[in-house]
Amino acid sequence: MRLAGRWTADQAPAVEAAAAEMLAAAHAASGHPAASLPLVIDLSGLSRLDTLGAWVLERTRAALAPGTAYAGAAPEHLILLREVAYRQSAPDPRRRRFHPLDPVASLGAGLRSLGRQSLAGLAFLGEVVAGCLRVLARPRSFRGPALVNQIEQIALRGAPIIMLISFLVGCIVTQQGIIQLQRFGAQSYVVNMIGILTLRELGVLLTSIMVAGRSGSAFTAEIGSMRMREEVDALRVMGLDPIEILIVPRILALMLALPLLAFLADLAALAGGALTSFLYGGLSLEAFTFRLQNAIGLRHVVIGLIKAPFMALIIGIIASVEGFMVEGSAESLGRHVTASVVKSIFMVIVLDGLFAVFFAAIDF
């Protein structure tokens, strides 16, 4: 078959008609579409070819007999035809029948994936430590303004909402404690409960969960967007280390800001407990403060603050790893941001449980 003329978008009706004529002629020559003979499509007479014409040609060639090829095409036409090469859609996968061992196989695949992700996290932690050591060796390479900006975003801008939620949680826990302890005439012991619970567990845990949802997701989204726009590759091309520029300031800011936020959350939760004790339990502020001083010691405050940097490190590592795993689509970005928040909250709770067991074992 010899083609001629302009196969371009402004000639779309004529192009479609010519393609239909090609199919009809091939089928008529063979007597049946399934028995069509291989053809050679001569493109030497084409004056112009654009994307529409190339796509129609490829679609027509796919409908002809297997082995149909082009001849006499100009080099630029061949390039365009290769770019719009017609590909058949993949057949639907065959549905597997349920097997009793499928849940076991799924569990094994999940554990194997968990192992790979844990190794990736450890490897990334090693890169972060190496980046910190390089910064210590070359202090001038450290970007102080980036650290200050991240502390502002995490601590200063996050403090109001964290303190508000901690205050409300302190009010709720104290109110429920008073209601239960009133049955035994021991409502004053709610001060011991809210003091120890807040300083050892509740304050730092609430703060870490909120930071994971607020700042951890922001880290993943920022790094993932840079990956999508190839800005991370541009940094490497310029001879800059993305770990030193993007990751080290963020993780250091998290490790500095989270203890401060946890301390503010403790104060807010205790303030909520004091207000609720006054309204529901009839305890004055002086009585609340006196019982609180007798119930808690410095070790309770230290236990809560010791956990904060480790939780910040976990949040920063997970958020950064998920950000670097983002591919070139918005769907991938959303999936990894969600995974970052879920994994961070899960690991924060696991780490808090490990610390609770450890401190109980050493009687601290």
Side-chain angles (χ1 to χ4, degrees):
M1 292 185 175
R2 292 185 177 88
L3 307 184
R6 297 170 53 192
W7 283 56
T8 54
D10 58 336
Q11 303 293 328
V15 167
E16 290 286 356
E21 186 179 350
M22 288 171 60
L23 288 175
H27 295 165
S30 61
H32 193 276
S36 298
L37 299 174
L39 300 174
V40 175
I41 303 176
D42 186 2
L43 304 180
S44 57
L46 289 184
S47 58
R48 286 193 63 185
L49 180 70
D50 66 1
T51 307
L52 180 137
W55 185 82
V56 172
L57 267 178
E58 275 294 299
R59 186 192 65 190
T60 306
R61 185 186 64 82
L64 293 171
T68 299
Y70 300 114
E76 60 271 18
H77 294 169
L78 286 177
I79 294 174
L80 190 57
L81 288 168
R82 282 197 298 267
E83 290 296 325
V84 299
Y86 187 83
R87 297 174 179 84
Q88 294 286 351
S89 59
D92 294 335
R94 296 180 60 185
R95 296 185 61 182
R96 290 182 65 252
R97 299 182 63 181
F98 177 77
H99 192 275
L101 292 180
D102 283 349
V104 180
S106 300
L107 178 61
L111 291 176
R112 187 168 58 183
S113 175
L114 179 62
R116 286 197 301 266
Q117 294 177 13
S118 300
L119 289 176
L122 288 175
F124 192 81
L125 176 60
E127 293 184 17
V128 172
V129 172
C132 292
L133 294 177
R134 288 194 296 270
V135 168
L136 288 176
R138 295 179 283 106
R140 291 186 178 181
S141 66
F142 181 66
R143 287 163 172 77
L147 175 66
V148 175
N149 177 65
Q150 292 299 327
I151 292 177
E152 178 187 358
Q153 297 296 328
I154 298 169
L156 186 61
R157 298 183 183 274
I161 184 64
I162 290 175
M163 292 181 66
L164 175 60
I165 293 177
S166 299
F167 177 83
L168 295 176
V169 171
C171 292
I172 295 169
V173 172
T174 305
Q175 187 237 10
Q176 292 298 315
I178 289 174
I179 292 175
Q180 299 302 320
L181 293 174
Q182 274 179 343
R183 302 176 182 179
F184 311 100
Q187 61 267 26
S188 61
Y189 284 97
V190 75
V191 180
N192 303 54
M193 181 193 73
I194 190 64
I196 296 175
L197 180 61
T198 297
L199 295 177
R200 291 181 68 108
E201 303 292 340
L202 200 58
V204 66
L205 187 59
L206 275 176
T207 304
S208 300
I209 290 174
M210 286 185 282
V211 168
R214 183 180 179 276
S215 301
S217 61
F219 288 179
T220 305
E222 291 167 3
I223 297 171
S225 298
M226 296 182 70
R227 284 272 298 169
M228 294 170 62
R229 295 194 295 263
E230 299 182 352
E231 295 177 13
V232 177
D233 297 329
L235 289 174
R236 292 193 176 100
V237 169
M238 290 187 293
L240 302 174
D241 186 3
I243 300 296
E244 294 183 20
I245 295 176
L246 302 176
I247 307 304
V248 171
R250 284 175 165 82
I251 291 183
L252 289 180
L254 265 179
M255 296 181 69
L256 291 173
L258 195 55
L260 299 175
L261 290 174
F263 181 73
L264 294 176
D266 291 342
L267 296 180
L270 291 176
L275 178 62
T276 307
S277 298
F278 174 74
L279 296 176
Y280 279 85
L283 283 177
S284 63
L285 180 60
E286 292 80 7
F288 183 91
T289 306
F290 179 76
R291 290 197 65 90
L292 186 64
Q293 290 176 341
N294 293 331
I296 64 172
L298 181 61
R299 63 189 180 94
H300 298 296
V301 181
V302 171
I303 286 174
L305 297 182
I306 283 176
K307 302 175 184 179
F310 294 95
M311 293 181 176
L313 181 61
I314 289 290
I315 294 170
I317 292 295
I318 293 175
S320 302
V321 169
E322 292 294 332
F324 277 109
M325 292 173 63
V326 172
E327 298 171 353
S329 67
E331 179 187 1
S332 174
L333 179 62
R335 186 171 61 251
H336 285 288
V337 168
T338 303
S340 169
V341 175
V342 173
K343 291 178 182 178
S344 297
I345 293 176
F346 173 76
M347 289 305 301
V348 160
I349 295 174
V350 170
L351 187 62
D352 184 72
L354 294 176
F355 269 114
V357 173
F358 172 74
F359 287 126
I362 63 175
D363 195 22
F364 186 63

